[in-house]
Amino acid sequence: HDMMAIHAYNPLEDPYSLYPHSLRNMDELCASIVRSHRETSQYRVEELQALRWKLFSREEIQTYQNKSVDEMWQHCAIRLTDAVQYVVEFAKHIPGFRMLSQNDQIALLKTGSMEVVLVRMSRFFNTENNTVFFDGKFAGAEVFKSLACGDLITAVFEFAHNMCALKLTEHQIALFSALVLINTDRPCLEDRGRVQRVQKSVELGLTHILHRDNQESLMHKLYQKMAELRSLCSMHMEKLRWFSQRYPLTAHSLFPPLYKELFA
Ligand code: CLR
């Protein structure tokens, strides 16, 4: 029945209505993005809220810190890939995404999936003690010490903290995530025009719900966040290149195939 719901609204299917002009179409577009977000977000906000007391003990933190650089990278790459997989699932259900060529879908995911993971991280973040839900408990930045990329970890934690300060609703996070993904500025797009049409409809969707929530001023802040995401992801790529040079074997044979496919 899920498939039917997605086909019920598709602005690209109807040649006379490329954009969701009517309010009803707009509501349907938003509803299907929100549904897709909900179904691929792994944990509901209330569930995460209830898990907040679960913190890693001193000993457990030590265990992470005593891991070798490549062991910890491999571990995090697996966790990240798992999260990316859910983002890929989310993308597939954004109205219009599946109408793009295979190449363009991959080009969008290559740069966008990690950015969406970072947007989603704010849902898994506790600003009271600056911890993130990782491996079943809440972890502070020190847990990631053995990755040897403290500057990236600091920047990622700071981003999550600032993202939380915006206090976005689940609907807003869903539409913002879709907008982060459907981005005509990505390199190597074949049919930029088609991507642009999908982008426009998602943009209208986000404007629509911000208007409905009486929070139009958020739009400007969200565009700022998109710029920050870009720099975080280029930092991630830089670290990955550094790591692959030093530990070519781990990077080559122990990283998940999807992680390599998207980021290497
Ligand atoms: C993001 C939201 C997802 C669930 C999820 C899974 C893995 C987490 C990720 C979240 C946030 C960022 C995270 C990651 C595992 C490792 C990574 C904590 C919560 C940190 C920042 C380390 C990155 C290391 C790379 C340089 C390899 O739905």
Side-chain angles (χ1 to χ4, degrees):
H1 93 287
D2 197 23
M3 292 277 286
M4 300 237 304
I6 283 135
H7 285 292
Y9 174 77
N10 197 331
L12 297 178
E13 240 162 37
D14 177 0
Y16 299 103
S17 153
L18 284 177
Y19 309 107
H21 287 300
S22 77
L23 216 55
R24 202 180 128 254
N25 279 350
M26 188 62 80
D27 280 331
E28 279 171 25
L29 169 83
C30 293
S32 93
I33 291 174
V34 167
R35 183 184 335 109
S36 175
H37 169 74
R38 193 190 328 112
E39 285 170 359
T40 62
S41 58
Q42 296 170 267
Y43 287 87
R44 283 179 288 121
V45 191
E46 310 86 71
E47 290 177 308
L48 290 162
Q49 201 74 27
L51 290 167
R52 277 172 173 229
W53 59 274
K54 278 185 160 225
L55 288 163
F56 283 117
S57 67
R58 265 273 124 238
E59 294 73 41
E60 287 170 319
I61 296 171
Q62 276 295 340
T63 310
Y64 282 111
Q65 292 181 336
N66 290 339
K67 282 184 194 283
S68 62
V69 177
D70 60 327
E71 203 184 347
M72 189 61 179
W73 263 84
Q74 195 202 340
H75 186 76
C76 288
I78 291 169
R79 288 285 166 274
L80 275 173
T81 305
D82 191 47
V84 161
Q85 222 128 29
Y86 284 98
V87 173
V88 172
E89 216 41 56
F90 167 69
K92 287 203 252 166
H93 296 265
I94 297 173
F97 184 82
R98 282 193 292 197
M99 311 283 282
L100 305 171
S101 71
Q102 194 92 30
N103 272 326
D104 284 355
Q105 294 186 15
I106 290 169
L108 292 177
L109 285 167
K110 238 182 192 308
T111 28
S113 58
M114 184 67 185
E115 295 188 2
V116 173
V117 167
L118 293 177
V119 170
R120 287 177 161 210
M121 179 177 172
S122 62
R123 301 175 69 251
F124 291 74
F125 197 79
N126 181 357
T127 45
E128 281 159 36
N129 54 11
N130 287 311
T131 54
V132 64
F133 193 69
F134 164 78
D135 266 358
K137 290 187 184 175
F138 279 82
E142 71 276 11
V143 166
F144 302 96
K145 199 176 117 190
S146 49
L147 289 171
C149 48
D151 49 349
L152 172 64
I153 299 301
T154 303
V156 163
F157 271 65
E158 202 177 285
F159 176 82
H161 191 100
N162 295 333
M163 199 68 207
C164 287
L166 296 181
K167 299 209 176 299
L168 301 182
T169 65
E170 283 291 286
H171 293 223
Q172 294 167 348
I173 294 177
L175 269 291
F176 180 54
S177 301
L179 189 60
V180 165
L181 220 45
I182 313 292
N183 192 330
T184 48
D185 299 336
R186 305 302 190 195
C188 308
L189 290 175
E190 295 170 340
D191 189 348
R192 224 165 274 277
R194 198 184 269 257
V195 177
Q196 179 127 46
R197 290 203 294 274
V198 184
Q199 183 183 5
K200 273 271 164 341
S201 70
V202 175
E203 225 159 20
L204 282 172
L206 181 57
T207 311
H208 174 70
I209 66 157
L210 290 182
H211 177 78
R212 199 190 54 194
D213 300 341
N214 219 335
Q215 288 198 291
E216 276 123 326
S217 60
L218 267 181
M219 197 51 132
H220 168 71
K221 291 180 187 158
L222 291 176
Y223 277 108
Q224 271 176 321
K225 291 288 159 231
M226 287 170 84
E228 291 172 33
L229 281 169
R230 227 164 261 243
S231 90
L232 284 177
C233 285
S234 61
M235 208 159 154
H236 167 241
M237 298 300 276
E238 211 176 283
K239 296 295 177 196
L240 179 60
R241 274 192 295 274
W242 163 85
F243 178 82
S244 309
Q245 253 165 36
R246 267 175 197 63
Y247 302 92
L249 254 144
T250 304
H252 181 264
S253 35
L254 297 175
F255 275 7
L258 180 66
Y259 188 79
K260 288 191 285 181
E261 188 184 328
L262 288 177
F263 306 126

